Amino acid sequence: MSPYILLGFLVAGILHAFVRPSAMSRHLGGRGIRPVVKAALFGIPLPLCSCGVLPAAVSLYRRGASKGATTSFLIATPQTGVDSIAATYSLLGLPFAILRPLAALLGSVAGGFAVDRSDKDEEKAVCRLSTEDDRLPEGFLARCIAAVRYGFVDMVASVGKWLVIGLVVAALITVFVPDSFFTSLSQYPLLAMIAVVIVAIPMYICATGSIPIALSLMLKGLSPGIAFVMLMAGPAANFASIILLGKTYGKRTTAAYVASVVVTAILFGLAIDLLLPASWFIPPTTSLHEACHTDLPVFDTLCSALLVALLIFAAISHRHHNHSHKISTDMKKTYKIDGMACPHCSANVEKTIRALDGVEDVVVNLSAGTAEVTGDASAAKVSEAVRLAGYNCTELAEA
């Protein structure tokens, strides 16, 4: 998978460094099917996990995107991405790689359109965000450097953890779960799919990390449709997303979000098992078991080594960032930040606070869920900025 994953990280960096956010958000306002479809098409190639997509979606909503378009973006984005689509093709084959973005498109459009039709409340006033984030690096070389930095440093830090978790879960399933369990469960496809949804929602796995899990399920005897439910439901729905969505958009939008993810995944899973030939969904790697003693391909091995090095560098850099910058000052305040779930979230919070007037330094601790702010910026200003970025912020009293 590593060559495809690295390619996806590179494309993510290019999108970040060369595409202006305001150019996208202008097309997502208003009701109707067009902004919903645009939001889905915009979100499908973005390699953001279900936690990383939340701040981006909140930003779109604050800049004028409708609830329907925002919901469509929220559903489509975490289910796919250029990295996960390429990795799906490499590990599960072309049919899965085609059906995955197609299911994401149809499910997100259905969910977004349902929100537009069912939301009877008056449109809330949209809080305009600062145009500070709309600036792109000046010059082609500067943008290339920014693309590489974002793709191979920031995105690796954001997605890498969940990718590793997916590989570990796949290994545990393959080794410790007996084949007889999945063989008996496969006799009841709908029940098996519901069970996968129940397991996938609290699992909190990214689109790329779900691929080896789906492969291990198929190798244990489950049908391709059941594995497809894991591919779609696992990345898109988790407790953190559901809680934050309920607070930001309301119960009705959150219910439409969850229902669209679950119903679309199960319907596509049933269609795969009942309507499509099983021979289309034989994973390419299953034919390589007998060739396990062949020499390792040089290019793939180098890509794997590079990916491991990037993961190690991201982990070390993140730990150093969280435990450095110790500033002794009486102008330091500590805030509790709720809703951060990955390095992408912590970086977004830090950037939001640092842009405020009067802020001298910011240290965000992802594991503790806190932000230490040095400067004379008021607590109300900091809390409001963080809230507009999609998180809950509360000043902690000094001990």
Side-chain angles (χ1 to χ4, degrees):
M1 294 170 58
S2 54
Y4 298 90
I5 295 174
L6 293 174
L7 175 62
F9 286 145
L10 178 60
V11 174
I14 293 174
L15 290 173
H16 172 78
F18 287 87
V19 179
R20 195 177 298 276
S22 61
M24 294 293 183
S25 60
R26 282 197 305 267
H27 297 278
L28 305 182
R31 294 180 179 272
I33 194 69
R34 291 184 64 183
V36 170
V37 174
K38 287 181 180 180
L41 294 176
F42 174 37
I44 284 176
L46 295 180
L48 291 175
C49 60
S50 53
C51 58
V53 72
L54 291 174
V58 171
S59 176
L60 291 177
Y61 181 60
R62 298 298 182 189
R63 292 182 179 184
S66 66
K67 277 190 176 181
T70 305
T71 303
S72 178
F73 179 80
L74 280 169
I75 296 173
T77 305
Q79 288 183 331
T80 58
V82 288
D83 58 335
S84 63
I85 294 173
T88 301
Y89 170 73
S90 71
L91 204 60
L92 296 177
L94 182 61
F96 270 119
I98 294 175
L99 288 172
R100 194 173 191 182
L102 178 61
L105 175 63
L106 295 180
S108 59
V109 170
F113 189 64
V115 168
D116 265 350
R117 294 294 299 270
S118 63
D119 186 17
K120 304 299 183 180
D121 299 332
E122 295 183 0
E123 287 291 330
K124 297 180 180 179
V126 178
C127 300
R128 299 294 173 180
L129 298 182
S130 169
T131 58
E132 190 82 13
D133 294 337
D134 206 43
R135 298 177 182 176
L136 296 177
E138 296 183 0
F140 180 77
L141 180 59
R143 293 187 182 184
C144 290
I145 295 174
V148 172
R149 181 184 298 111
Y150 181 82
F152 293 125
V153 178
D154 296 342
M155 278 303 304
V156 171
S158 177
V159 177
K161 174 183 176 181
W162 309 112
L163 172 62
V164 173
I165 291 176
L167 293 172
V168 172
V169 172
L172 293 176
I173 292 174
T174 302
V175 174
F176 292 105
V177 178
D179 294 342
S180 58
F181 172 79
F182 289 102
T183 302
S184 60
L185 194 61
S186 63
Q187 298 176 4
Y188 309 96
L190 182 59
L191 178 62
M193 292 177 186
I194 295 175
V196 167
V197 169
I198 295 174
V199 172
I201 289 179
M203 185 179 292
Y204 196 74
I205 202 72
C206 75
T208 303
S210 65
I211 300 171
I213 299 178
L215 174 61
S216 67
L217 293 177
M218 292 178 62
L219 295 178
K220 285 295 184 178
L222 286 179
S223 67
I226 298 173
F228 189 81
V229 173
M230 168 60 72
L231 286 176
M232 304 308 294
N238 61 75
F239 290 145
S241 300
I242 293 172
I243 291 173
L244 186 56
L245 283 173
K247 293 179 179 179
T248 306
Y249 303 111
K251 295 181 179 179
R252 187 175 298 172
T253 300
T254 304
Y257 169 84
V258 176
S260 299
V261 171
V262 173
V263 171
T264 302
I266 292 179
L267 288 179
F268 265 79
L270 292 174
I272 288 173
D273 286 344
L274 297 177
L275 303 179
L276 300 179
S279 59
W280 285 10
F281 301 96
I282 299 177
T285 52
T286 57
S287 62
L288 300 179
H289 289 308
E290 293 79 7
C292 60
H293 297 292
T294 59
D295 295 333
L296 291 175
V298 175
F299 179 72
D300 290 350
T301 303
L302 292 176
C303 289
S304 298
L306 176 59
L307 181 59
V308 170
L310 291 172
L311 289 169
I312 294 174
F313 175 79
I316 294 175
S317 299
H318 178 60
R319 179 177 299 180
H320 175 75
H321 175 76
N322 279 344
H323 295 280
S324 62
H325 300 95
K326 295 185 178 180
I327 300 175
S328 178
T329 177
D330 295 332
M331 301 173 64
K332 181 185 294 184
K333 297 178 182 178
T334 303
Y335 298 86
K336 179 65 177 177
I337 311 295
D338 296 322
M340 296 190 301
C342 72
H344 182 92
C345 298
S346 61
N348 189 59
V349 170
E350 178 180 346
K351 185 178 181 180
T352 298
I353 299 176
R354 196 178 293 275
L356 296 175
D357 294 334
V359 173
E360 298 177 5
D361 190 68
V362 183
V363 178
V364 178
N365 189 320
L366 176 61
S367 59
T370 60
E372 291 185 350
V373 181
T374 303
D376 58 2
S378 66
K381 183 187 296 184
V382 172
S383 299
E384 178 66 10
V386 174
R387 186 188 68 80
L388 290 178
Y391 309 90
N392 291 327
C393 178
T394 305
E395 182 183 6
L396 295 179
E398 295 183 2

